Amino acid sequence: MYNTPGYGGLRHSHSHSSHRGYQTGYTYAPAPPPGADPQLWQWFTAVDADRSGSISVTELQAALVNGNWSRFDLDTVKMLMNIFDTDRSGTIGFAEFAGLWKYISDWQDVFRHFDRDRSGSIEGLELAEALRSFGYNLAPSLLTLIEQKYASGPSTGYGPPPGITFDRFVRACVAVKTLTEAFQRADSDRDGWVTISYEEFMRIVLSAP
């Protein structure tokens, strides 16, 4: 999952093969487990900087970059960890990493499709079109709130482009999905209205990424 310009991914790193393992930088890494994709294992060991056999939040954030080489937003990294840390160990093992790799790769394709102007960010009509394709026909006022919440700051020539970068786009879409599903569970008669307690409302909102 090397970085694709404008669309995010893992930092590119070089390695040298050997008969029982390989070198990542100057550090020897073990051979992949039986049946593992050698390329995916190479990426996993490159991210596993402390050679613990699993990936922490800090290591994952250091490895994931947007198309402009800015690091992924920490909240997005935590969201990804929460999704793929299936054994709740606080880290991601190789099998969990394989799922994460495919998830990000799939989102890269989505982002690339809707980034019509190839700016490396999603904004305005692109955001509306993307969410509509997922089945979320949101009012313009809600789309504006989403863009304001997840967009990067104005570009200074050195920072992220204006609009929603890849990492924040993923988090925004997951947030819309999470909140919509929570509302639908509460809307038992499907009339578009719900009556919930303050505690339940706070639980729904705080559970969103």
Side-chain angles (χ1 to χ4, degrees):
M1 184 167 47
Y2 292 146
N3 181 62
T4 303
Y7 303 110
L10 287 179
R11 293 180 185 273
H12 179 91
S13 61
H14 297 282
S15 63
H16 307 283
S17 62
S18 75
H19 66 293
R20 297 183 62 188
Y22 61 86
Q23 296 287 337
T24 303
Y26 296 101
T27 304
Y28 182 81
D37 180 337
Q39 182 66 81
L40 190 58
W41 177 254
Q42 179 180 331
W43 289 330
F44 176 78
T45 56
V47 177
D48 180 21
D50 64 2
R51 298 294 176 262
S52 65
S54 59
I55 296 170
S56 66
V57 170
T58 302
E59 289 172 329
L60 187 59
Q61 187 185 26
L64 291 172
V65 293
N66 289 299
N68 62 351
W69 298 104
S70 63
R71 283 188 177 185
F72 267 37
D73 177 82
L74 181 58
D75 286 334
T76 301
V77 176
K78 289 180 177 179
M79 179 195 76
L80 294 171
M81 289 287 292
N82 186 58
I83 292 173
F84 290 97
D85 177 21
T86 55
D87 61 3
R88 294 297 177 256
S89 64
T91 59
I92 290 179
F94 177 66
E96 294 166 328
F97 178 78
L100 171 64
W101 173 83
K102 184 179 186 305
Y103 186 78
I104 292 180
S105 295
D106 290 345
W107 273 110
Q108 284 178 321
D109 292 338
V110 172
F111 189 90
R112 185 181 297 110
H113 177 75
F114 290 106
D115 181 21
R116 304 295 190 190
D117 60 4
R118 298 296 182 263
S119 65
S121 64
I122 297 287
E123 61 276 314
L125 294 176
E126 295 172 336
L127 177 62
E129 185 180 358
L131 291 174
R132 189 163 51 248
S133 75
F134 303 147
Y136 305 119
N137 295 299
L138 304 183
S141 58
L142 288 178
L143 291 168
T144 298
L145 285 174
I146 292 171
E147 190 165 4
Q148 290 173 343
K149 178 176 176 62
Y150 293 101
S152 303
S155 177
T156 62
Y158 300 97
I164 302 176
T165 50
F166 174 69
D167 58 333
R168 291 168 179 255
F169 173 72
V170 174
R171 185 156 59 95
C173 292
V174 172
V176 170
K177 178 177 183 291
T178 300
L179 289 170
T180 299
E181 290 176 349
F183 181 89
Q184 289 173 339
R185 285 193 296 271
D187 183 20
S188 56
D189 59 2
R190 298 293 184 266
D191 65 352
W193 294 86
V194 298
T195 300
I196 58 176
S197 67
Y198 174 72
E199 182 177 343
E200 180 67 8
F201 169 77
M202 291 298 291
R203 187 191 64 79
I204 291 173
V205 172
L206 293 175
S207 295

